[in-house]
Each structure stands twice: as structure tokens, then as C-alpha cells.
Amino acid sequence: MRNKVLRDMLIPGCVAVAAIVVPYLLISVGVIDAYTAQIITLGGVNAIMAISVNVICGITGQLSLGQAGFMAIGSYTTIILTQTAGMPLAVSIVIAALVTVVFGILIGFPTLKLQGDYLAIVTLGFGEIIRVLLVNFKNLTGGANGLRFTTIFAARADYAYLIVIGMLVLVIVLLQNFVRSTYGRAILAVREDEIAANSNGVSVFKYKMIGFAIASCIAGIGGALYAPFIGFVKPDLASFNRSIDYLIFVVLGGMGSVTGSVVAAFVLTYLQEFLRFLQDYRLLIYPLILIFVMLFRPQGLLGMKEISFVGLWDKLLTFVAGRRKKGLAVASEKSEKGDE
């Protein structure tokens, strides 16, 4: 039993370390060029945002259309604290995540008590309000021109990859452990049936609030990493279209599947860059993908399942053992024929 627990921890841990270290080394030595590294890193930021949306839509069972607004708050907070207040970047990222949690609580407190799609309507309006405020507070946010942010991230593609993908892995690990905890089980119970959960003593509002706060925090982290990586932010970061883009990642990957959202984010990010030669026509790809997904795979690529590296390892061992057994049987049969 103890060995099984150790194995279940060791295999995902090795995969996570390899996903961070191996590409980082390849980028450092020039095997992966800077352009490809930027696409992968941007995919990491998009994956963090997709996880944020999935916490709301897939795990908590609500609908949010304003996650880009929280991302914008995280981005601008990081830039202002670093460039104006002179804080270290790491401290600014942590504070930006906490600031987005505060905004998430302020938005969620009056709306999560209501029934229906009020949260979607309120978060949609929240994103537009944030965008308008960023445009009009020119002294602080730079207005429609936005703010520039010069860090080592922009000059060193390997550093940017290491920080962003490292944070992505950390978010996935912490979220998966949270979902398996008592609080996570309660949130899943609320998602499945609010009335049944409430009748069993689960506070529906409390756990909806926890889920919404966690999603806001993750979106703030995504925005805080986006700012130093891109080096420039503008109010359009909080636009409705961006929120829909992140929602598409979740729909394609599967509502409730964290690993599915991550895979979809990387695939669509790379696909958008790969199809850049089509110019504006590439914007038709997302709607077409959504149509095909809704027709042939409405639950998404993975549905509510997760990619299990332990399960894949067990299947690999079973396959190798089967091939080895078959090889020994063939060798034994040939040996017997030779003796005859």
C-alpha cells in the first residue's frame, strides 16, 4: 500500500519535472527557437486562464463570462506595483492574485445568492466596466494606449517558459488536491444538485463563493504572468471576446476536466499561430471547431475525465509484459520445433 502511494506520487511528479526542465533546457541551448518558445509560453498563460474558467463552469457549475476582467486586474496590478511602487515582481504577482480574489468576492457575494444565470450577466457587465475604467483612468492605467512593462521575461524566452509553465504545474497540482479534499467534494456536490447538497447540510452559497474566489485568484495569476511575458497590456485585455476565447478552451477540452482544458489551450494557441497566414480568416476556425465539437463530441475531448499518468504507465507496463510473454511463447514454440 505504501509503495503504491509512493508510486502514485512519483510518476506524476517526474512527468511534471520533465515538462518543466526538458523544454527549458532545449530553449536554453537553442534547439527550440524563441518564436516557438513564446507560443508554448503563451499557451501556458492561456491554460491557466482556461483552468480558471473551468473552476467556475466545470467544477462549481456556474457560468462566468468575465474572467478576462480578472485577468486584466491581475496584469495592471502587477505592472503598477512593480513599476510605480517598486515592489519585486514575485511580490507583485502574489498581491495581484489577492486583489483579484477581493474583486471576486465583491462580485460573487451579491450574485451567488441568486438563482439562474445572474452570475453570467453580472460577470459580463463586470468585464466591460473594468475595460471602461482602464480606458478612463489614464494617469494610472495609460488609458487606451495601455502600459508597457520591461522585464527579463521579454529578453529571455527560457526564463519566461520556466516561470509560466512552472506556475501552471503548481496550479494544476494544488487544484487537483483541492478537488479531492472535503471542500472540493462539497463543491462537486453543489454542482451536481444544489437541493440535495443543501438538504445534507452543505452550504450552497459558501462553497459557490469558495469556488468563485479560487477561479478569480487563478485568473489573477494568469494576468500577472501575462504582463511581464508580453511586456504590454491595454484595456482590451478585459474584453468580452477574450472571455469567450477562454470559455472555448474549456468547452473543447471538457467541462470539469482540468487536463482537458490545458490540452485544448495549448492546441488552439498553436493552431491560431500556425494558421496566421490566413490572416483574419483564421478567426473563423474557433466557431467551426465549436460547431463540430457540439455536433460530434458535445462533452468535449475528455468530458469530465482527467489524464492519468499513473494509468498510462500501468497500461504501458501491461503492454510490454504482454509483448514479452508473447515473444517468449513464440521462442519456446520455435525451440520445440527445433528439438523435433
Side-chain angles (χ1 to χ4, degrees):
M1 182 66 180
R2 186 176 179 181
N3 292 334
K4 184 179 183 302
V5 173
L6 181 62
R7 186 201 63 162
D8 292 348
M9 294 176 60
L10 188 61
I11 293 174
C14 292
V15 173
V17 171
I20 297 172
V21 174
V22 173
Y24 168 73
L25 295 176
L26 294 177
I27 295 170
S28 299
V29 299
V31 175
I32 298 178
D33 59 88
Y35 175 68
T36 304
Q38 286 183 343
I39 296 174
I40 298 172
T41 307
L42 181 60
V45 174
N46 288 337
I48 292 174
M49 290 304 302
I51 292 173
S52 169
V53 176
N54 208 344
V55 171
I56 290 291
C57 299
I59 297 176
T60 310
Q62 305 298 307
L63 179 59
S64 173
L65 299 177
Q67 291 304 104
F70 295 111
M71 181 184 185
I73 292 174
S75 294
Y76 275 88
T77 301
T78 302
I79 294 177
I80 292 170
L81 291 177
T82 305
Q83 293 192 154
T84 305
M87 290 186 178
L89 181 59
V91 176
S92 299
I93 292 174
V94 173
I95 295 176
L98 296 177
V99 169
T100 54
V101 170
V102 173
F103 275 93
I105 293 173
L106 291 176
I107 296 299
F109 188 81
T111 55
L112 289 173
K113 292 183 177 181
L114 303 175
Q115 299 293 326
D117 297 325
Y118 290 101
L119 181 63
I121 298 171
V122 171
T123 51
L124 173 61
F126 167 73
E128 288 302 306
I129 290 171
I130 292 298
R131 186 183 64 81
V132 172
L133 290 176
L134 293 176
V135 170
N136 287 281
F137 282 93
K138 298 180 180 179
N139 294 332
L140 187 63
T141 65
N145 294 324
L147 291 175
R148 293 196 175 275
F149 191 32
T150 304
T151 64
I152 195 172
F153 275 25
R156 292 291 301 270
D158 52 347
Y159 283 0
Y161 174 88
L162 183 64
I163 299 300
V164 171
I165 302 302
M167 186 61 70
L168 171 62
V169 170
L170 180 62
V171 167
I172 293 174
V173 171
L174 293 177
L175 183 60
Q176 292 286 24
N177 281 277
F178 173 79
V179 171
R180 293 184 177 92
S181 69
T182 304
Y183 285 90
R185 301 293 184 184
I187 290 175
L188 294 177
V190 171
R191 179 194 67 186
E192 295 300 326
D193 194 323
E194 293 184 14
I195 297 175
N198 190 47
S199 65
N200 282 278
V202 177
S203 175
V204 173
F205 171 73
K206 172 185 174 182
Y207 288 103
K208 280 185 179 180
M209 197 75 226
I210 291 174
F212 194 69
I214 291 173
S216 304
C217 179
I218 296 174
I221 292 172
L225 294 174
Y226 178 86
F229 166 62
I230 298 296
F232 174 75
V233 293
K234 56 182 181 177
D236 287 347
L237 194 63
S239 66
F240 172 69
N241 289 335
R242 276 189 175 271
S243 295
I244 294 300
D245 286 344
Y246 301 135
L247 183 61
I248 289 173
F249 298 153
V250 175
V251 173
L252 179 62
M255 291 281 190
S257 174
V258 175
T259 49
S261 298
V262 172
V263 171
F266 277 103
V267 170
L268 290 182
T269 301
Y270 180 79
L271 184 64
Q272 193 173 19
E273 293 296 325
F274 178 74
L275 298 175
R276 190 171 287 276
F277 67 93
L278 296 175
Q279 298 179 359
D280 290 341
Y281 291 103
R282 67 194 172 97
L283 299 177
L284 296 173
I285 298 299
Y286 279 4
L288 288 175
I289 290 175
L290 271 183
I291 291 171
F292 283 114
V293 168
M294 291 297 101
L295 288 176
F296 301 105
R297 184 75 178 176
Q299 70 270 36
L301 293 176
L302 296 181
M304 299 183 71
K305 298 178 181 178
E306 299 287 355
I307 296 175
S308 173
F309 294 106
V310 176
L312 292 175
W313 177 258
D314 289 340
K315 289 181 180 178
L316 178 62
L317 290 180
T318 303
F319 174 78
V320 171
R323 297 290 296 181
R324 184 170 179 272
K325 185 177 180 181
K326 185 177 179 180
L328 291 174
V330 171
S332 176
E333 185 179 348
K334 287 182 179 180
S335 177
E336 291 176 359
K337 290 182 178 180
D339 293 340
E340 293 177 356

